[in-house]
């Protein structure tokens, strides 16, 4: 019975075979449309600021209420030069701004690697020109992964000068700066993320935190100059 049915309906069989083949080849020849890479939606908090003004510190500034200021016992495996080094943590973004303060004319401790692989303490004097050169050198270390480094002069409402660095590409730190009165105080700030650097996915957060960095800079004051 089945053989007779299919024999009697061969034209119908051919029709379905042709349609199936047409759909198959049409699908194969359809142009490929790439999908845009997506990232998780990041909820940005409302901007509000509070003042950091510890009695013994040589500086003060305003920082976001969604950040925490902590003292770290080490700075990239080195001991902080003095007790005025602070980290501004942004737990929501797994980000941190390292603040390293130096007194111009003060003593600095450096770790020098010896031939045997061990490190030896070496003391030197903080010279303004050298600290500026070191800030540019540290920024330019990102040249391997960056596609551009732009620096711009800073002059704040409080009369403080410095330089702001924007590092393009997948650099470990895309935003850096230093501030100084050139005679007594020098501080450097660098924004880092505790994630694998990806310029595209981090851009919204980097742009958001850059505004916070600019607020920190514009409200910054040297207290020992007052």
């Amino acid at each position: 019975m089945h053989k007779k049915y299919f024999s009697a309906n061969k034209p119908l069989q051919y029709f379905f075979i042709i349609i199936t083949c047409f759909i198959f080849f049409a699908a194969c020849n359809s142009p490929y449309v790439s999908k845009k890479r997506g990232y998780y939606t990041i909820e940005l908090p409302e901007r509000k600021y509070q003042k950091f003004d510890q009695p013994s510190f040589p500086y003060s500034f305003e920082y976001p209420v969604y950040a925490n200021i902590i003292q770290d016992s080490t700075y990239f495996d080195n001991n902080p030069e003095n007790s005025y080094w602070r980290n501004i943590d942004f737990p929501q973004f797994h980000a941190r701004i390292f603040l390293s303060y130096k007194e111009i004319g003060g003593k600095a401790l450096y770790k020098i690697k010896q031939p045997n692989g061990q490190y030896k303490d070496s003391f030197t004097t903080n010279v303004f020109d050298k600290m500026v050169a070191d800030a540019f050198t540290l920024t330019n270390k990102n040249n391997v992964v960056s596609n551009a480094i732009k620096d711009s002069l800073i002059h704040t409402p409080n009369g403080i000068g410095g330089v702001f660095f924007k590092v393009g590409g997948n650099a470990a730190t895309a935003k850096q700066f230093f501030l100084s009165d050139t005679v007594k105080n020098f501080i450097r700030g660098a924004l880092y993320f505790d994630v694998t650097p990806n310029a595209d996915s981090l851009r919204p957060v980097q742009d958001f935190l850059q505004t916070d960095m600019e607020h920190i800079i514009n409200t910054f004051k040297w207290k020992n100059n007052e």
Side-chain angles (χ1 to χ4, degrees):
M1 180 176 179
H2 293 293
K3 291 183 179 180
K4 289 182 180 180
Y5 174 80
F6 285 114
S7 297
N9 293 277
K10 281 186 178 181
L12 188 61
Q13 293 180 53
Y14 293 144
F15 174 77
F16 282 116
I17 292 173
I18 293 172
I19 291 298
T20 302
C21 292
F22 176 79
I23 294 173
F24 174 79
F25 286 111
C28 291
N29 294 326
S30 297
Y32 172 74
V33 179
S34 62
K35 295 182 179 179
K36 294 182 179 180
R37 180 180 293 180
Y39 299 103
Y40 292 109
T41 301
I42 301 173
E43 294 185 5
L44 302 176
E46 180 184 357
R47 292 192 193 279
K48 289 183 180 179
Y49 297 98
Q50 57 191 331
K51 193 170 185 179
F52 175 81
D53 189 6
Q54 296 293 329
S56 61
F57 274 62
Y59 58 81
S60 67
F61 58 86
E62 292 182 3
Y63 69 101
V65 297
Y66 38 85
N68 302 317
I69 294 184
I70 62 173
Q71 181 178 13
D72 202 342
S73 58
T74 61
Y75 181 77
F76 294 107
D77 298 327
N78 290 324
N79 292 326
E81 185 175 314
N82 54 64
S83 59
Y84 304 133
W85 292 36
R86 284 295 182 271
N87 300 330
I88 306 176
D89 277 10
F90 298 85
Q92 179 180 352
F93 304 123
H94 303 286
R96 171 177 291 181
I97 298 174
F98 290 98
L99 294 178
S100 51
Y101 171 84
K102 294 177 179 290
E103 180 184 357
I104 299 174
K107 295 298 182 181
L109 173 63
Y110 289 86
K111 298 285 187 179
I112 299 178
K113 192 173 184 178
Q114 304 299 303
N116 60 4
Q118 296 182 348
Y119 287 86
K120 181 181 179 181
D121 291 344
S122 175
F123 290 91
T124 186
T125 302
N126 288 324
V127 179
F128 173 70
D129 290 344
K130 184 180 184 303
M131 288 189 288
V132 171
D134 288 345
F136 276 88
T137 299
L138 289 169
T139 303
N140 289 328
K141 283 184 177 181
N142 291 287
N143 270 333
V144 178
V145 294
S146 68
N147 52 34
I149 297 178
K150 296 181 180 180
D151 55 80
S152 56
L153 293 175
I154 295 171
H155 186 73
T156 75
N158 295 321
I160 297 176
V163 175
F164 194 93
F165 301 94
K166 295 180 182 179
V167 183
N170 296 326
T173 173
K175 316 290 181 184
Q176 304 178 37
F177 68 88
F178 71 81
L179 301 172
S180 180
D181 58 9
T182 74
V183 293
K184 191 173 185 178
N185 303 291
F186 187 97
I187 195 165
R188 179 176 177 269
L191 172 65
Y192 285 85
F193 288 88
D194 191 21
V195 294
T196 302
N198 184 305
D200 292 330
S201 62
L202 290 178
R203 183 171 291 112
V205 178
Q206 286 181 351
D207 292 344
F208 181 81
L209 294 183
Q210 179 178 328
T211 300
D212 287 337
M213 292 180 77
E214 291 170 351
H215 187 87
I216 291 170
I217 292 169
N218 287 324
T219 58
F220 203 91
K221 290 182 180 181
W222 299 120
K223 293 165 58 178
N224 52 15
N225 285 348
E226 295 176 351

